[in-house]
Amino acid sequence: MTIGRGTDNIRIRWRKSGDDEWSCALHGRIFSLRQDPSHLHYRAIFPPHSASSLTPPPSAPSSVGPLADDDDNAAYLKHYFNLKPNLMGLYEEWSSADRNFKKKAPRFTGVRILKQDAWEALVGFICSSNNNIIRISQMVEKLCVHYGTLIGHIASQPFYEMPPASALTGAQVESHLRQLGFGYRAKYIHQTAVMIAEERPSGWLDGLRNPESPVFDKTPTPAGDVEQAGREGYRRAHESLLELQGVGPKVADCVCLMGLGWGEAVPVDTHFWQIAQRDYKFGKGKHASLTKATYEAVGNHFRQLWGQEAGWAHSVLFAADLKAFASRLTAKVEVKEDGSVVKSEEVESKETVQVAQASVVTDRVIKRELEEEHKNVLEVQKTVARERPRKRRRK
């Protein structure tokens, strides 16, 4: 995993907060990440006990609950970055089933699907409609600044948490979002917030989650075997999301995959449709155009080909096909559970080596008062150690 050159989801919420440092307000605190050639460092900055007021005030209380023990920092980051699955094992499984994946995947190793909050993922993908990453990031940041809770500062840069749906139900929210440059998306965000916060039972959105991929600190339970059309829970979640404003099949699949933990969700946008036509012989006969039936056929094809984590494999191919990453060749690394590298293969890496899986180890804990604006903000700094891959040239 390489910080600062991640997927679009990383770039939407995480902001540069220093030299080679990226930060984001998550889980009621600010997480900052910094990477050097041998370590991935993180720190967690907690808010003062008296949280700052929202601007403007929301229509419901803040989503920030009681502060958790700082010992859950490493566990939460492992959960958020989805570090538990054996990534090399998944790559090998997908490569054995798909010759095209085997050919393309080495270009972009280390791709992981974030375990985002479901509401955060939903709002972000509603903002993504006919939009680019820079504008999506700006919109999400405006939502946080104007309706979220201020968690703290790094230097003079403020960090706000994503507001809950209940904070976006006010009568003036839509017009205010239009003033902030959201355009037609303002209506979708406001109406969807009203539907979730006021018209659906409490916990409705998280109730659509894959029980095998629960929220942080909850025990997973089985969700059944994957069928060609996906598990029943996935299909129910997808159909339920389509009831919301601004949510079509692709956005629903993005939320299912990245916010609800349904690994078989395969979002098909115009870019992936081009991949399906070029490399998998779609675009002919009854599937000549991307209709609803074709959309379902594409998803079914890749679920049958790649299995339970088809959406993850889809994201690897999607990333490998982007022009921005076309020339990137990275090292193939396999990591044991204890974090030691057992196998590596050099493939002309021109950029920072991406690690498939990292083992988080606490080297030290330093607690000190920050000499900044908030004297009572406690900073916890830890080091996440990982082994560097040993390069071996192919013969």
Side-chain angles (χ1 to χ4, degrees):
M1 183 176 71
T2 299
I3 304 302
R5 296 192 180 103
T7 62
D8 293 344
N9 299 67
I10 287 284
R11 293 192 292 172
I12 288 173
R13 285 292 325 269
W14 291 75
R15 290 185 288 149
K16 196 167 186 180
S17 55
D19 292 339
D20 299 320
E21 182 180 84
W22 295 79
S23 300
C24 182
L26 292 168
H27 198 48
R29 67 204 71 176
I30 303 171
F31 280 110
S32 296
L33 304 177
R34 179 173 55 82
Q35 197 166 24
D36 61 31
S38 60
H39 293 78
L40 175 65
H41 308 266
Y42 73 86
R43 60 175 177 168
I45 303 175
F46 291 82
H49 292 296
S50 55
S52 302
S53 61
L54 304 184
T55 53
S59 55
S62 163
S63 64
V64 177
L67 293 180
D69 190 319
D70 62 278
D71 285 345
D72 73 352
N73 288 327
Y76 182 79
L77 288 174
K78 284 183 178 181
H79 169 85
Y80 179 81
F81 286 112
N82 202 8
L83 295 180
K84 185 177 180 179
N86 182 339
L87 191 55
M88 287 311 303
L90 288 173
Y91 270 57
E92 290 172 1
E93 177 185 330
W94 298 326
S95 295
S96 65
D98 181 4
R99 185 180 304 174
N100 183 59
F101 186 94
K102 184 176 182 179
K103 176 183 177 182
K104 301 285 183 65
R107 293 186 184 181
F108 207 83
T109 58
V111 175
R112 288 189 179 271
I113 300 295
L114 298 183
K115 289 193 173 185
Q116 289 181 286
D117 172 77
W119 168 246
E120 177 182 320
L122 174 59
V123 172
F125 284 112
I126 290 177
C127 290
S128 72
S129 175
N130 296 315
N131 220 340
N132 58 57
I133 294 301
I134 293 176
R135 289 198 65 222
I136 298 168
S137 179
Q138 290 172 345
M139 287 180 178
V140 172
E141 179 65 12
K142 288 175 182 178
L143 279 175
C144 294
V145 169
H146 289 272
Y147 294 94
T149 300
L150 176 63
I151 301 299
H153 293 75
I154 295 179
S156 59
Q157 188 175 13
F159 285 82
Y160 295 81
E161 196 168 51
M162 174 68 72
S166 55
L168 299 170
T169 59
Q172 303 303 316
V173 168
E174 181 182 341
S175 61
H176 185 225
L177 292 181
R178 288 186 181 275
Q179 292 173 8
L180 294 174
F182 282 71
Y184 65 87
R185 303 169 196 85
K187 179 180 178 181
Y188 294 155
I189 292 171
H190 174 247
Q191 290 184 347
T192 291
V194 170
M195 293 176 73
I196 290 176
E198 299 180 355
E199 299 176 6
R200 297 290 189 276
S202 177
W204 173 81
L205 185 58
D206 272 323
L208 302 176
R209 181 178 294 278
N210 180 358
E212 292 179 355
S213 181
V215 296
F216 174 63
D217 212 23
K218 298 298 181 182
T219 303
T221 57
D225 296 329
V226 176
E227 303 171 6
Q228 187 178 34
R231 286 167 286 190
E232 180 182 353
Y234 157 67
R235 297 195 299 271
R236 183 173 63 252
H238 191 270
E239 289 300 315
S240 297
L241 290 171
L242 292 176
E243 299 171 3
L244 303 175
Q245 293 295 315
V247 177
K250 186 205 77 172
V251 169
D253 269 328
C254 288
V255 177
C256 281
L257 177 63
M258 302 174 202
L260 295 173
W262 292 105
E264 66 261 47
V266 179
V268 183
D269 63 357
T270 54
H271 188 117
F272 195 73
W273 172 234
Q274 292 171 355
I275 295 174
Q277 292 178 88
R278 184 191 66 211
D279 299 332
Y280 296 93
K281 299 181 180 180
F282 278 92
K284 300 177 182 179
K286 62 180 181 180
H287 298 311
S289 59
L290 190 55
T291 61
K292 182 178 184 295
T294 300
Y295 185 100
E296 293 174 353
V298 172
N300 290 343
H301 173 80
F302 290 110
R303 276 186 283 274
Q304 186 174 36
L305 182 64
W306 294 326
Q308 185 165 312
E309 300 294 346
W312 198 334
H314 147 281
S315 297
V316 175
L317 277 192
F318 185 96
D321 200 66
L322 293 175
K323 291 182 179 179
F325 302 123
S327 61
R328 181 187 299 179
L329 296 176
T330 60
K332 180 180 179 182
V333 182
E334 183 174 314
V335 183
K336 288 182 177 179
E337 288 186 1
D338 62 0
S340 60
V341 179
V342 297
K343 180 176 67 177
S344 66
E345 177 180 332
E346 186 177 12
V347 198
E348 246 183 79
S349 178
K350 295 183 178 180
E351 303 239 19
T352 304
V353 172
Q354 294 187 330
V355 174
Q357 186 170 346
S359 176
V360 180
V361 203
T362 301
D363 286 340
R364 60 187 179 277
V365 180
I366 305 171
K367 295 188 178 182
R368 62 179 182 274
E369 296 294 326
L370 291 179
E371 297 179 356
E372 293 178 357
E373 180 179 350
H374 296 290
K375 294 292 183 180
N376 56 343
V377 178
L378 182 65
E379 180 186 75
V380 179
Q381 183 167 335
K382 298 184 180 180
T383 299
V384 183
R386 62 167 169 77
E387 298 282 348
R388 296 192 68 191
R390 298 174 183 175
K391 298 182 178 180
R392 183 184 65 193
R393 296 190 178 278
R394 291 187 301 187
K395 297 180 180 180

